[in-house]
């Protein structure tokens, strides 16, 4: 890998991981527009580490409160809004974890076509736009019920279909349940933490079985750049949707999805 490839892939992963635009769709575009070799499993793991570091750092104060309250609830100190939120994040992770473990090989072997990614981008983008326009409310993430968290978790499992966008589909479900844009995004970002850990863990297991050499400089650079870009993305995305909303991302998804369908069909 040369450094241009490291920079582009790290920025693509760091930015598209948390925007509702599908990181898988954008990673498909990279080999289409370049003649770069495959970056390898080690670099994929590094990018996941960068994204995970960004979201943990950004929500560090919230996570400390959630972990403290969650631990207290396990030893009989009762529930509060932070412990309940921690439980709902765990509950929302179970469906995608089970489906991912059961269908990992099926998805990688049969659902990676650019045509499917383009169709998913456009279709689920329109669903996000409809949810944002017709159903969004003013509830905070602390007002979710366990049923709401489970529904968001079931929706999150759809993100295993490439092009759907994990952040996009979880925000869509949260908006349809009456959460505000900001609350939908915050809950989506919090649920990304266990999902990224699971995805990174699976890639790490695959990496341990791979004989490929490791470029440590590229790994360090990719991790750092992915983390910085993801952190900035989270920060400015929350400001952007408060002022403008989701519709620009909907338009972008539909245009990109139709282009992929036209180019690869």
């Amino acid at each position: 890998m040369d450094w241009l490839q490291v920079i582009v892939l790290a920025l693509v992963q760091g930015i598209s991981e948390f925007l509702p635009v599908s990181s898988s769709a954008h990673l498909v575009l990279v080999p289409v527009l370049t003649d770069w070799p495959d970056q390898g499993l080690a670099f994929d793991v590094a990018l996941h580490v960068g994204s995970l570091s960004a979201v943990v750092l950004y929500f560090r104060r919230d996570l400390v409160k959630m972990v403290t309250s969650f631990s207290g609830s396990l030893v009989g100190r009762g529930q509060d809004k932070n412990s309940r939120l921690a439980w709902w994040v765990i509950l929302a992770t179970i469906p995608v974890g089970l489906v991912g473990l059961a269908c990992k090989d099926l998805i990688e072997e049969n659902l990676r076509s650019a045509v499917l990614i383009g169709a998913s981008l456009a279709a689920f983008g329109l669903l996000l736009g409809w949810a944002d326009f017709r159903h969004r409310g003013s509830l905070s993430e602390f007002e979710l019920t366990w049923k709401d968290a489970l529904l968001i978790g079931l929706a999150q499992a759809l993100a295993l279909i490439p092009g759907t966008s994990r952040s996009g589909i979880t925000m869509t479900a949260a908006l349809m349940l009456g959460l505000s844009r900001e609350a939908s995004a915050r809950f989506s970002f919090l649920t990304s933490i266990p999902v990224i850990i699971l995805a990174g863990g699976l890639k790490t297991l695959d990496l341990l079985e791979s004989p490929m050499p490791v470029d440590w400089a590229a790994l360090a650079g990719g991790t750092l750049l992915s983390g910085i870009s993801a952190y900035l993305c989270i920060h400015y995305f929350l400001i952007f949707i408060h002022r403008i909303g989701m519709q620009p991302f909907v338009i972008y998804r539909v245009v990109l999805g139709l282009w992929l369908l036209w180019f690869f069909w």
Side-chain angles (χ1 to χ4, degrees):
M1 296 177 64
D2 59 37
W3 279 101
L4 179 59
Q5 184 180 5
V6 170
I7 292 169
V8 170
L9 290 174
L11 289 175
V12 168
Q13 172 67 23
I15 295 172
S16 62
E17 178 70 35
F18 296 109
L19 293 181
V21 296
S22 176
S23 58
S24 61
H26 289 77
L27 291 173
V28 162
L29 289 175
V30 174
V32 170
L33 301 175
T34 70
D35 58 355
W36 290 333
D38 183 82
Q39 66 270 19
L41 280 169
F43 194 72
D44 286 345
V45 171
L47 296 184
H48 277 82
V49 171
S51 299
L52 178 63
S53 301
V55 70
V56 168
L57 181 61
Y58 192 88
F59 289 101
R60 60 192 181 280
R61 295 184 181 89
D62 303 87
L63 291 172
V64 168
K65 293 176 183 177
M66 290 167 61
V67 171
T68 301
S69 297
F70 177 79
S71 301
S73 72
L74 295 178
V75 295
R77 295 179 185 171
Q79 296 274 6
D80 64 12
K81 65 178 186 178
N82 289 300
S83 63
R84 281 192 294 272
L85 184 58
W87 279 110
W88 300 165
V89 168
I90 294 171
L91 182 59
T93 306
I94 292 173
V96 69
L98 293 176
V99 176
L101 290 172
C103 304
K104 176 177 177 287
D105 293 336
L106 173 66
I107 293 167
E108 290 183 350
E109 293 172 8
N110 299 288
L111 298 181
R112 290 292 181 184
S113 75
V115 171
L116 176 60
I117 290 174
S120 299
L121 265 174
F124 287 108
L126 291 172
L127 186 62
L128 171 63
W130 179 69
D132 182 53
F133 182 71
R134 294 296 302 272
H135 289 278
R136 78 174 187 275
S138 58
L139 297 178
S140 77
E141 64 271 30
F142 296 107
E143 296 176 86
L144 287 168
T145 67
W146 71 267
K147 292 180 181 179
D148 296 333
L150 183 58
L151 286 172
I152 294 173
L154 292 171
Q156 185 169 223
L158 292 173
L160 294 169
I161 301 172
T164 302
S165 171
R166 191 211 62 81
S167 58
I169 197 64
T170 51
M171 291 179 202
T172 299
L175 288 167
M176 293 179 71
L177 291 168
L179 269 68
S180 68
R181 289 166 174 159
E182 296 88 340
S184 300
R186 286 194 297 269
F187 190 71
S188 173
F189 294 149
L190 289 172
T191 56
S192 75
I193 295 173
V195 171
I196 294 174
I197 291 173
L198 288 172
L202 289 174
K203 286 184 176 293
T204 300
L205 291 176
D206 291 338
L207 175 61
L208 294 176
E209 299 174 358
S210 172
M212 294 296 291
V214 175
D215 183 345
W216 293 105
L219 258 61
T223 301
L224 180 61
L225 190 54
S226 173
I228 293 172
S229 58
Y231 186 94
L232 294 173
C233 175
I234 293 170
H235 178 72
Y236 288 107
F237 177 73
L238 290 170
I239 296 173
F240 184 89
I241 59 172
H242 176 72
R243 296 178 179 176
I244 300 177
M246 300 286 188
Q247 300 310 317
F249 299 102
V250 173
I251 295 170
Y252 176 78
R253 285 184 62 130
V254 171
V255 170
L256 179 59
L258 293 176
W259 182 83
L260 286 172
L261 288 171
W262 172 80
F263 190 87
F264 287 101
W265 202 305

